[in-house]
Amino acid sequence: MAKIDRGDTNAKRRGFSEFAKGFWKENPILVMLLGLCPTLAVTTSAINGLTMGLAVVFVLTGSSLIISVIRNIVPKQVRIPTFIVIIATFVTMVDLFLKAFFLDLSKALGPFIPLIVVNCIILGRAEAFASKNKVWFSLLDALGVSFGFTVTLVVLGGIRELLGMRTFFGMNVLGEGFEPWIVMLLPPGAFITLGFMLGAKNLIDIRMKERKRG
Amino acid sequence: MEVILIFISAVLVNNFVLSYFLGICPFIGVSDKIESAVSMGFAVTFVLTLAAAITWLINRYILIAFNVTFLEYVSFIIVIASLVQFVEMFIRKTSKTLYDALGIYLPLITTNCAILGLALFGALREYSFIQNIVFGIGAGIGYTLALVIMSGIREELDLADVPEPLKGAAITMIIAGLLALAFMGFA
């Protein structure tokens, strides 16, 4: 009995770490540099970032679930095409959903919703995790990675929106006295903001390592 | 005339990497040496041109003709994946030198969003067949240009004194930002 209990807590702990690693230690954008195309392209405002993030949450969770369920049936040689077709199906669902209920957002994100198909995060998680692990852990991994992705997108979109339009989620924050930096909304702003976010993450990691060492 | 405009716009003004953010992953990954950047650029240009032609035909004569445009993403990605596979086999059989030059970069191209992006933009803008091919070539040349410039800068970067936290990907992003700023001058 005691043995089973220990197994349970171990499984719980592992489940939690599979979920939590996506936010910092294996953050898909800041550490693994995956899925950069949508990251840079849609984050002109926090709400766009959030929409993109949630779309990825849905696609990644759904496809990880299915891939993990069928992982023992799919022959090794055709696994990548199989995964891509599953992913493309989920992306089509998201796209049709957004077009039906949030037409403005769908227009703002343009072809970047369909481009989730080739987002390396999704295929990467499918190949590296879902095709090798049990359904429950695959689900937690997918949720962790995709919410980590979402948070990063909202932060990036928030910074760009704040400096480029003085607003955050459409609310005026900085007031009339602040001259908006238009460049933040243009492509260069995306690259430079992400560059500094990567730098900030490295800086925090270096500091934390130093503190641990004493 | 319009064709020339599409070409120039795809190469410079709406550069795929620097203003549409397509194909960023290999842009960051492969762009540390000029030679690999050139090979990757040519491989992408080649596949882009072929994909532009084939996805146009599929879109017009299958998807629109049978009114099944909701299958756009699934069919485009399957076509692109098999096209890349086919090109790889063809090159391996016909030209050893070309295969050695492009070989390892070809499989990477399947998940390069530039290819699917081109197919989607082409369908969205309702280009004609010729226009779509020119768009593909232009996008490929623009991609190569951005990749080669970037790798040239990164080769010099080894000698520069970059602050510790910004080393690696961070400084690459910032350089890409400055490049994008420069390319905005064409707009």
Side-chain angles (χ1 to χ4, degrees), chain B residues 34-55:
Chain B
I34 291 187
E35 289 138 47
S36 50
V38 171
S39 303
M40 181 71 186
F42 279 128
V44 169
T45 310
F46 189 57
V47 177
L48 270 177
T49 314
L50 276 178
I54 292 177
T55 52

Side-chain angles (χ1 to χ4, degrees), chain B residues 14-28:
Chain B
N14 293 321
N15 187 290
F16 259 40
V17 181
L18 297 172
S19 78
Y20 286 160
F21 309 107
L22 295 171
I24 299 279
C25 303
F27 177 67
I28 302 296

Side-chain angles (χ1 to χ4, degrees), chain A residues 33 36-37 40-41 84 88 92 95 111-112 114-115 117-118 120 123 183 186-188 190-192 194-196 198-199 202-203, chain B residues 17-25 70 73-74 77 110-111 113 117 120-121 164-166 169-170 173-174 176-177 180-181 184:
Chain A
L33 297 175
L36 292 177
C37 317
L40 294 163
I84 292 186
T92 311
D95 188 51
F112 288 97
L115 282 172
V117 178
V118 282
C120 2
L123 195 61
V183 72
L186 300 171
F191 282 115
I192 293 172
L194 184 63
F196 281 111
L198 289 170
N202 289 341
L203 191 66
Chain B
V17 181
L18 297 172
S19 78
Y20 286 160
F21 309 107
L22 295 171
I24 299 279
C25 303
F70 61 88
Y73 314 150
V74 180
I77 193 71
T110 312
T111 50
C113 22
L120 294 170
F121 275 119
E164 187 63 34
L166 289 182
M173 280 292 160
I174 293 171
L181 208 56
M184 273 175 61

